[in-house]
Every structure is written in structure tokens, then in C-alpha cells.
Amino acid sequence: PNSYICKISADEGKCDLLIVMGTSLSVGPVNQIPNTVPPSTPRLLMNMEKVCIDESKKMNLNAPLFFFDHPDNKTDVFMGGPVDDSVKVLAEKVGWLEELLALQNEMS
């Protein structure tokens, strides 16, 4: 984990958007990644359910805390549903759907 920590530390200030996909965020040290970005960095969770949303419900005390439904939230966004579907929706919104579908065809 020392090399992992060094790499994460080197990248944490460079992140413009953090996308977290399909996870319970219960296993460390990877579950710490959402905590390493600056507080102003948007964090998008694509998952079947919201995770790490309430301090009293956190299974792992080191897990990140998301504020999806907090009235002052300006950075945390939740896209519920299968990750594959959410990725396609996001790709379509940013104009990358054709490229994504072409990559999927190449890989299958």
C-alpha cells in the first residue's frame, strides 16, 4: 500500500471530477479515494444504491461520506441503476456515446 498511497497523493490535487462506479466503498484503502479530492471537486457515484450517506449508517469508519440529499450539497451526485446503463447515459450527455459503443464493439 505504500506505493498506492504515493500515487494517490500525487494525483489528488489534479482531479476535476471523481467518478465512483459499482461499489460498496467498504474495502480500504481504495475506499479512501473519495476523501482525497478537494472538497470542491464534484463526486459522481454510479451504483445500484447510495452508499456512505449517513454517519450513523457507515459500516467502515474510514469510508467516505457522501452528502447526496443534504440541502447544502453542491458536489455529490448519485446516478442509480446498473453501472453500464449509467455510463451510457453519461457518455451520451457529454457527446461520447458513439465512441463508447465503438470501443464496446471492438472489445467483444
Side-chain angles (χ1 to χ4, degrees):
N2 284 341
S3 62
Y4 167 84
I5 292 168
C6 290
K7 290 176 183 175
I8 290 296
S9 297
D11 289 338
E12 65 189 23
K14 300 175 187 175
C15 182
D16 295 327
L17 167 66
L18 179 68
I19 301 175
V20 180
M21 294 187 220
T23 179
S24 65
L25 288 172
S26 60
V27 178
V30 174
N31 67 349
Q32 290 300 301
I33 293 172
N35 293 335
T36 64
V37 298
S40 60
T41 302
R43 303 183 304 172
L44 170 62
L45 174 65
M46 296 176 170
N47 210 22
M48 291 299 291
E49 60 188 15
K50 294 177 182 178
V51 294
C52 302
I53 56 172
D54 184 323
E55 198 70 44
S56 65
K57 296 177 184 173
K58 286 171 64 172
M59 294 172 60
N60 179 337
L61 296 177
N62 294 320
L65 187 62
F66 287 98
F67 300 98
F68 303 116
D69 301 318
H70 192 280
D72 296 328
N73 173 36
K74 294 184 175 33
T75 57
D76 292 344
V77 176
F78 175 69
M79 285 182 77
V83 172
D84 290 348
D85 296 345
S86 295
V87 168
K88 286 179 183 173
V89 169
L90 181 61
E92 183 175 30
K93 288 186 181 290
V94 298
W96 298 340
L97 185 58
E98 287 183 32
E99 291 174 68
L100 176 64
L101 296 176
L103 284 171
Q104 285 179 329
N105 287 336
E106 282 179 30
M107 296 177 78
S108 57

